[in-house]
């Protein structure tokens, strides 16, 4: 039903912005989650009370926490649709991440409380009364959660939503926990072992694990995680495909929420180009990147001497020495200044996080190696840290 509604009323058109469409998809999934989880909670809590089963009651409250999470999901997507304003010039897209984090915390709190109740049940087990209604409720719950897993997963991929992906993972966990509860209810009359309390404990562990995993996935973009390596490589390839470009570096992907990305980078152009031509190249690249990756783009131009063979030779020498220190070290913004007695090499070196050298050690080591090979050269090195992963 949710996918049918989405296909009928949420079709992509040229007059609906991507972010608006994402918000509508998110609110639709959230509303469906509220209705379905509240219904599951009502039926399961009644079944849990009638059967006096701790495991079924725990599963019911798990659905109640899912309903609360769906409410927060709707609020998060609603806030993300707000237009940029004076206080939030980059929009409100990160509210979706915050919503996902709150969902995760609710799941963790629910898991802790259910773990406590399950321990109490193990210490003082109570008899469980089975009925056909109990098995019907649990069976229907598995089917409903399978349906929720399907639509959350499909739409999360369609609109690239971490919040809906978290909801899909939670539905998968719910299916597993309900199946465990169902197995425990089947086993109750055949053993004196407190399977009800054990099943409740297993459910709480699943809930806690799901909450922690979801929290990690929502905290990382809030803290600032490196962009996807494939995206970085695609950006670099697009820039370097231009005939005038010598190189590209300092690629930064600013994430202000799903669908709200800004790219900034430095592009190296021949210093012999006129200022007007360089400006035209940068404008064209900004337009191409913005159109291809659907984001704002800002490019800084670095002039590079490509006509002097001595500059090219020295740059290659320095790059090779840097790579022998650590294969991930790269150089850029390379230029030379000649005096009567010395050749000053001025450049930036990128020290990856996988390197064991601190910035000062890298500066001294690389300068010493270059001077040992070319005694007339002195290095002036600015050490940078990458804003993408080493692979990117």
């Amino acid at each position: 039903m949710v996918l049918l509604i989405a296909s009928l009323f949420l079709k992509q058109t040229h007059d609906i912005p991507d972010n608006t469409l994402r918000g509508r998809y998110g609110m639709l999934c959230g509303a469906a989650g509220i209705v379905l989880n509240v219904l599951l909670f009502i039926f399961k809590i009644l079944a849990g009370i009638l059967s006096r089963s701790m495991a079924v009651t725990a599963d019911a409250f798990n659905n109640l926490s899912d309903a609360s999470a769906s409410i927060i999901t709707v609020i998060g997507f609603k806030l993300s649709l707000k237009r940029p304003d004076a206080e939030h010039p980059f929009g409100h897209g990160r509210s979706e991440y915050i919503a996902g984090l709150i969902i995760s915390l609710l799941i963790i709190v629910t898991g802790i409380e259910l773990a406590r109740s399950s321990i109490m049940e193990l210490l003082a087990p109570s008899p469980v009364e089975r009925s056909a209604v109990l098995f019907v409720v649990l069976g229907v719950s598995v089917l409903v959660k399978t349906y929720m897993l399907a639509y959350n997963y499909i739409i999360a991929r369609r609109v690239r939503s971490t919040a809906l992906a978290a909801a899909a993972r939670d539905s998968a966990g719910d299916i597993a926990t309900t199946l465990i509860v169902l197995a425990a209810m089947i086993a109750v009359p055949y053993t004196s072992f407190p399977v009800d309390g054990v099943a409740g404990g297993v459910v709480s562990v699943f809930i806690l694990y799901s909450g922690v995993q979801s929290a990690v996935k929502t905290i990382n973009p809030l803290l600032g995680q490196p962009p996807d390596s494939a995206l970085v490589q695609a950006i670099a390839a697009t820039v370097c495909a231009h005939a005038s470009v010598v190189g590209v570096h300092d690629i930064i992907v600013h994430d202000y929420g799903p669908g709200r990305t800004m790219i900034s980078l430095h592009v190296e152009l021949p210093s012999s180009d006129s200022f007007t031509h360089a400006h035209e190249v940068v404008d064209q690249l900004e337009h191409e990147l913005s159109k291809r990756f659907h984001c704002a783009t800002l490019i800084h131009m670095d002039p590079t001497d490509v006509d002097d063979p001595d500059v090219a030779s020295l740059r290659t020498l320095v790059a090779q020495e840097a790579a022998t220190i650590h294969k991930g070290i790269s150089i850029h913004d390379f230029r030379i200044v000649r005096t009567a007695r010395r050749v000053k090499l001025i450049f930036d070196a990128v020290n990856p996080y996988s390197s064991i050298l601190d910035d000062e050690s890298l500066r001294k080591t690389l300068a010493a190696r270059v001077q040992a090979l070319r005694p007339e050269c002195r290095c002036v090195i600015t050490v940078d840290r990458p804003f993408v992963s080493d692979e990117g």
Side-chain angles (χ1 to χ4, degrees):
M1 180 63 70
V2 174
L3 294 174
L4 177 62
I5 293 173
S7 64
L8 291 177
F9 299 102
L10 298 180
K11 294 180 179 180
Q12 176 71 69
T13 61
H14 68 279
D15 57 340
I16 301 179
D18 289 341
N19 292 336
T20 300
L21 192 67
R22 290 185 74 261
R24 292 178 182 177
Y25 270 113
M27 287 189 288
L28 173 62
C29 290
I34 294 169
V35 174
L36 293 175
N37 280 307
V38 167
L39 289 175
L40 287 176
F41 168 74
I42 292 172
F43 287 115
K44 282 185 181 179
I45 196 65
L46 291 175
I49 293 171
L50 293 174
S51 63
R52 292 185 291 184
S53 168
M54 177 62 223
V56 176
T57 302
D59 206 19
F61 277 98
N62 183 31
N63 292 134
L64 183 61
S65 71
D66 291 342
S68 301
S70 296
I71 293 173
I72 296 170
T73 298
V74 171
I75 294 173
F77 275 103
K78 184 68 175 178
L79 289 174
S80 71
L81 290 176
K82 291 181 62 178
R83 295 179 179 275
D85 51 41
E87 289 76 23
H88 307 92
F90 298 104
H92 302 76
R94 285 181 177 169
S95 60
E96 185 179 334
Y97 296 148
I98 296 173
L101 179 58
I102 296 174
I103 291 170
S104 303
L105 295 177
L106 282 174
I107 294 171
I108 292 172
V109 170
T110 301
I112 293 172
E113 182 61 26
L114 292 178
R116 185 189 65 81
S117 300
S118 298
I119 292 173
M120 297 298 294
E121 176 67 19
L122 285 171
L123 295 176
S126 56
V128 177
E129 296 182 5
R130 305 190 310 166
S131 66
V133 173
L134 174 63
F135 289 106
V136 169
V137 169
L138 293 176
V140 170
S141 175
V142 171
L143 295 177
V144 171
K145 281 296 180 177
T146 302
Y147 171 65
M148 295 177 69
L149 167 64
Y151 75 71
N152 277 309
Y153 176 77
I154 293 172
I155 295 180
R157 292 194 63 183
R158 185 176 299 174
V159 301
R160 300 184 300 278
S161 168
T162 56
L164 294 182
R169 289 191 298 272
D170 187 52
S171 294
D174 290 343
I175 294 170
T177 54
T178 302
L179 288 174
I180 291 171
V181 173
L182 184 59
M185 293 303 99
I186 294 173
V188 161
Y190 304 106
T191 179
S192 59
F193 188 75
V195 290
D196 184 49
V198 172
V202 172
V203 170
S204 67
V205 170
F206 268 100
I207 294 171
L208 283 170
Y209 178 78
S210 174
V212 172
Q213 288 291 99
S214 295
V216 170
K217 290 182 179 294
T218 53
I219 287 174
N220 282 340
L222 287 172
L223 292 178
Q225 63 186 1
D228 181 66
S229 296
L231 172 62
V232 175
Q233 291 165 6
I235 293 170
T238 301
V239 173
C240 292
H242 199 287
S244 299
V245 172
V246 178
V248 60
H249 57 269
D250 287 349
I251 298 176
I252 305 177
V253 179
H254 310 262
D255 182 3
Y256 296 103
R260 296 164 179 81
T261 304
M262 177 180 289
I263 298 172
S264 63
L265 57 89
H266 289 214
V267 62
E268 297 179 3
L269 297 174
S271 55
S272 56
D273 282 4
S274 67
F275 180 81
T276 301
H277 179 260
H279 185 266
E280 289 175 354
V281 171
V282 168
D283 273 354
Q284 183 178 348
L285 286 172
E286 287 179 341
H287 176 73
E288 290 178 7
L289 291 172
S290 298
K291 184 177 180 180
R292 177 175 177 183
F293 300 104
H294 309 288
C295 61
T297 305
L298 179 64
I299 297 178
H300 172 81
M301 186 274 291
D302 291 324
T304 302
D305 191 343
V306 296
D307 299 320
D308 188 334
D310 197 28
V311 172
S313 174
L314 287 170
R315 178 171 183 155
T316 300
L317 172 69
V318 172
Q320 290 174 345
E321 287 303 308
T324 61
I325 297 173
H326 186 282
K327 64 179 182 180
I329 298 174
S330 61
I331 66 168
H332 56 261
D333 281 353
F334 187 91
R335 62 188 187 278
I336 67 174
V337 176
R338 296 183 176 90
T339 64
R341 300 177 56 188
R342 295 278 186 263
V343 177
K344 187 179 295 185
L345 311 183
I346 306 171
F347 60 91
D348 293 358
V350 179
N351 190 17
Y353 294 103
S354 57
S355 171
I356 62 174
L357 293 177
D358 59 44
D359 293 353
E360 186 59 28
S361 297
L362 170 59
R363 188 180 292 110
K364 290 181 178 179
T365 301
L366 183 54
R369 290 195 179 192
V370 172
Q371 189 173 350
L373 294 173
R374 296 291 294 265
E376 77 280 9
C377 293
R378 297 292 184 271
C379 294
V380 179
I381 306 172
T382 300
V383 179
D384 293 336
R385 287 285 180 172
F387 296 101
V388 297
S389 65
D390 289 355
E391 293 77 9

